[in-house]
């Protein structure tokens, strides 16, 4: 599709709205294929110097700060970053004028020849796509792993385009983490395998209802045919309910009971049924990743790996050795018998509950940040069962404290530094100090990675 797409875009006026990583990647791809590119962002130019430095300014129009919306006048196509709400008034007006509005994920897909393996879900996406990439690599297959995970898909598209139209594809597979925001703006994005891991309330500050959030997630199946595969985590009722929206061949994974096609847990054995093949993948206790939620992620990745021809030996090797992602139940340090665990990626209530359920010992929980519309009352029971102290930080601290009023072990700290010091002084040998905020990070930190790294620095500074 590369030749046709580049011909369609050459000379066209394209506005890229939002200059985060995906916006920069989209602009670079568009410049490479000969589009007339304008980049727009509500931030002032001084805040965007790093992003702008990665673009060819000689053939680039820049509209930033006050009046950035003027960049949408007279454009042929708008490409928005995931952080830009797709229902902005200025975008609605552009659509009414016949302007096509897409996201970076959609743009990239126009230039990708390799089969796309797309994964969405409220939690576990990054772990799952990383595992899939490792399984493919262990099996000798060339995979690009990116999307919402961090490396934009447009980077893969640009590399493929620059490699030459007649050249063999650079990748055997494209493994893409897809967020609900990205899936709102797809048109032709067509994954060969589309997986939905789980769906719990999240981003309720952006979506008017849970059903609208579920609908956005279900968009991953939009362009699939009967030649494709849809993978559902059927232990989640909302995900299981999506089976009626699927045209592709259906597979599933479950920790609770057997499945007709896919991967499931049978006592202590992880079993797989793919087509007519049935067999044991590994034992449950061979999987290094902690927590039952990570067992689900491992089963989802295993299903995708088997569909792509990965051997059972390769899958077992990866599952035995992969320790998990940074900021996702990451063991930072053991100090005086106390384990300090960084789960900064736990940005919603369900993720924090899963983190708490990963421990059978007393937990001192550091939580709080920017509220995304989560129901903090759901934390009451897990906190009662597993937590000896909750230390709250950030904008949502008072809201969470109110939700946990009946629990009685909640205090507040002014900063993350104070929270770490308070937890360290109260913790006793055998306890776990867990950062799992149940909130976004943007009130006090650049992003969840920044929050996690600061936590680790503070923990490692403890005498």
């Amino acid at each position: 599709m590369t030749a046709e797409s580049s011909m369609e875009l050459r000379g066209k006026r394209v506005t890229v709205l939002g200059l985060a990583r995906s916006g920069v990647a989209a602009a670079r791809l568009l410049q490479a294929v000969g589009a007339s590119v304008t980049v727009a962002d509500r931030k002032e130019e001084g805040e965007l110097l790093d992003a702008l430095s990665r673009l060819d300014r000689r053939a680039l129009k820049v509209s930033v700060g006050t009046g950035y919306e003027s960049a949408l006048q007279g454009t042929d196509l708008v490409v928005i970053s995931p952080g830009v709400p797709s229902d902005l008034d200025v975008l609605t007006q552009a659509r009414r004028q016949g302007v096509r509005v897409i996201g970076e994920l959609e743009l990239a897909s126009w230039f990708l020849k390799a089969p796309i393996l797309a994964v969405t879900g409220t939690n576990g996406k990054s772990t799952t796509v990383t595992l899939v990439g490792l399984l493919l690599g262990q099996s000798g297959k060339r995979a690009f792993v990116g999307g919402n995970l961090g490396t934009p898909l447009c980077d893969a598209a640009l590399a493929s385009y620059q490699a030459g139209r007649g050249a063999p594809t650079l990748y055997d597979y494209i493994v893409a983490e897809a967020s609900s925001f990205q899936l709102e703006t797809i048109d032709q994005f067509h994954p060969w395998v589309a997986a939905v891991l789980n769906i719990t309330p999240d981003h309720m500050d952006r979506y008017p209802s849970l059903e609208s959030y579920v609908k956005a997630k279900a968009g991953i199946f939009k362009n699939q045919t009967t030649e494709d595969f849809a993978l559902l985590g059927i232990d989640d009722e909302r995900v299981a309910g999506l089976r009626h929206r699927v045209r592709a061949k259906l597979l599933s994974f479950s920790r609770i009971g057997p499945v007709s096609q896919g991967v499931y847990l049978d006592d202590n054995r992880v079993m797989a049924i793919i087509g007519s093949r049935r067999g044991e993948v590994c034992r449950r206790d061979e999987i290094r990743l902690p927590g039952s939620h990570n067992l689900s992620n491992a089963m989802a990745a295993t299903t995708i790996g088997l569909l792509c021809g990965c051997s059972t030996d390769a899958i077992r090797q990866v599952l035995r050795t992969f320790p998990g992602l940074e900021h996702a139940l990451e063991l930072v340090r053991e100090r005086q018998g106390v384990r300090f665990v960084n789960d900064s990626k736990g940005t919603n209530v369900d993720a924090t509950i899963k983190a708490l359920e990963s421990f059978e010992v007393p937990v001192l929980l550091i939580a709080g940040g920017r509220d995304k519309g989560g129901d903090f009352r759901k934390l009451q029971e897990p906190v009662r069962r597993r937590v000896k102290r909750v230390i709250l930080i950030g904008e949502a601290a008072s809201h969470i404290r109110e939700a946990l009023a009946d629990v009685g072990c909640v205090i507040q700290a002014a900063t993350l530094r104070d929270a770490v010091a308070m937890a360290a002084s109260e913790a006793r040998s055998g306890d776990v100090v867990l950062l799992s905020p149940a909130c976004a990070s943007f009130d006090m930190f650049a992003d969840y990675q920044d929050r996690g790294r600061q936590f680790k620095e503070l923990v490692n500074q403890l005498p």
Side-chain angles (χ1 to χ4, degrees):
M1 190 169 182
T2 301
E4 294 86 345
S5 300
S6 59
M7 287 176 62
E8 289 173 9
L9 290 169
R10 187 169 292 117
K12 291 293 179 67
R13 295 165 299 179
V14 184
T15 298
V16 176
L17 186 56
L19 269 182
R21 278 178 296 196
S22 63
V24 170
R28 292 178 66 221
L29 173 62
L30 289 162
Q31 285 187 309
V33 302
S36 176
V37 181
T38 300
V39 294
D41 198 296
R42 67 174 63 209
K43 292 180 180 177
E44 298 295 336
E45 185 163 350
E47 301 175 80
L48 298 166
L49 293 178
D50 180 60
L52 292 170
S53 71
R54 287 176 276 156
L55 298 171
D56 182 357
R57 295 291 297 268
R58 295 169 300 178
L60 183 72
K61 295 178 183 176
V62 178
S63 179
V64 296
T66 305
Y68 77 96
E69 296 175 350
S70 63
L72 276 70
Q73 300 299 319
T75 194
D76 299 311
L77 175 71
V78 178
V79 181
I80 67 173
S81 295
V84 176
S86 59
D87 60 353
L88 277 181
D89 288 344
V90 67
L91 295 176
T92 300
Q93 293 168 15
R95 291 186 186 97
R96 285 176 183 153
Q97 294 167 8
V99 178
R100 191 176 184 185
V101 178
I102 63 170
E104 179 262 340
L105 199 70
E106 171 69 18
L107 175 67
S109 72
W110 297 354
F111 296 86
L112 296 170
K113 297 178 180 178
I116 296 173
L117 316 172
V119 177
T120 195
T122 303
N123 297 304
K125 300 184 294 295
S126 297
T127 296
T128 302
V129 298
T130 300
L131 271 173
V132 172
L134 292 171
L135 298 180
L136 293 169
Q138 186 72 21
S139 300
K141 303 177 192 298
R142 300 166 301 163
F144 175 91
V145 181
N148 190 61
L149 176 65
T151 306
L153 242 60
C154 275
D155 282 358
L158 178 58
S160 298
Y161 177 79
Q162 290 175 335
R165 298 174 186 173
T169 181
L170 288 178
Y171 309 107
D172 298 315
Y173 295 97
I174 302 293
V175 189
E177 176 183 329
S179 71
S180 58
F181 297 168
Q182 290 172 314
L183 292 169
E184 289 173 18
T185 50
I186 62 169
D187 185 7
Q188 300 172 40
F189 178 71
H190 181 178
W192 177 59
V193 179
V196 180
L197 306 177
N198 49 67
I199 301 177
T200 56
D202 195 13
H203 302 299
M204 292 297 103
D205 55 339
R206 173 146 162 173
Y207 290 99
S209 66
L210 180 58
E211 178 52 39
S212 62
Y213 176 57
V214 173
K215 182 180 179 182
K217 291 290 190 189
I220 198 169
F221 305 122
K222 176 179 177 180
N223 295 309
Q224 286 197 299
T225 71
T226 54
E227 300 302 309
D228 303 314
F229 293 93
L231 174 61
L232 301 179
I234 59 170
D235 294 342
D236 183 307
E237 290 183 6
R238 292 188 185 94
V239 176
L242 297 180
R243 68 182 71 203
H244 306 298
R245 306 192 192 191
V246 168
R247 290 190 298 273
K249 293 185 276 287
L250 186 63
L251 298 100
S252 50
F253 61 92
S254 173
R255 303 191 314 262
I256 297 172
V259 301
S260 56
Q261 286 286 305
V263 174
Y264 66 97
L265 187 65
D266 179 12
D267 196 13
N268 189 43
R269 300 184 303 160
V270 176
M271 303 294 296
I273 305 174
I274 305 293
S276 60
R277 295 171 294 154
R278 182 181 189 277
E280 179 179 332
V281 177
C282 65
R283 296 190 312 276
R284 165 69 181 94
D285 53 20
E286 290 182 88
I287 299 174
R288 184 176 175 185
L289 282 168
S292 58
H293 61 295
N294 274 324
L295 171 59
S296 294
N297 298 334
M299 291 194 294
T302 295
T303 309
I304 297 171
L306 290 170
L307 284 173
C308 296
C310 297
S311 70
T312 301
D313 286 344
I315 293 171
R316 188 181 298 117
Q317 175 64 21
V318 170
L319 296 181
R320 283 173 174 169
T321 55
F322 179 58
L325 298 177
E326 186 182 15
H327 313 301
L329 286 179
E330 175 193 10
L331 177 62
V332 179
R333 177 185 179 189
E334 185 166 330
R335 172 186 176 269
Q336 300 173 6
V338 176
R339 285 177 290 161
F340 290 78
V341 177
N342 168 27
D343 192 50
S344 183
K345 211 171 188 304
T347 60
N348 58 66
V349 172
D350 188 65
T352 297
I353 292 172
K354 286 183 168 70
L356 290 172
E357 290 173 346
S358 300
F359 301 102
E360 298 296 334
V361 299
V363 174
L364 292 91
L365 173 66
I366 300 173
R370 177 159 292 171
D371 185 4
K372 296 194 290 178
D375 183 359
F376 297 116
R377 292 171 299 178
K378 290 172 62 180
L379 289 169
Q380 290 178 356
E381 192 53 37
V383 165
R384 280 196 184 94
R385 288 200 315 269
R386 301 175 189 267
V387 176
K388 65 187 288 186
R389 176 67 70 195
V390 179
I391 305 171
L392 298 174
I393 60 173
E395 290 177 355
S398 59
H399 189 184
I400 302 173
R401 188 165 193 167
E402 183 180 345
L404 299 178
D406 296 336
V407 178
C409 63
V410 183
I411 57 176
Q412 287 181 227
T415 65
L416 180 59
R417 178 182 294 277
D418 292 343
V420 169
M422 293 160 72
S425 66
E426 186 170 345
R428 297 294 175 262
S429 181
D431 293 349
V432 166
V433 173
L434 171 67
L435 171 69
S436 189
C439 292
S441 57
F442 304 117
D443 57 337
M444 300 169 73
F445 307 94
D447 49 33
Y448 78 83
Q449 293 104 323
D450 178 40
R451 176 170 60 191
R453 288 174 191 138
Q454 289 196 37
F455 175 73
K456 291 195 290 184
E457 288 172 8
L458 291 166
V459 168
N460 286 319
Q461 288 169 9
L462 291 169

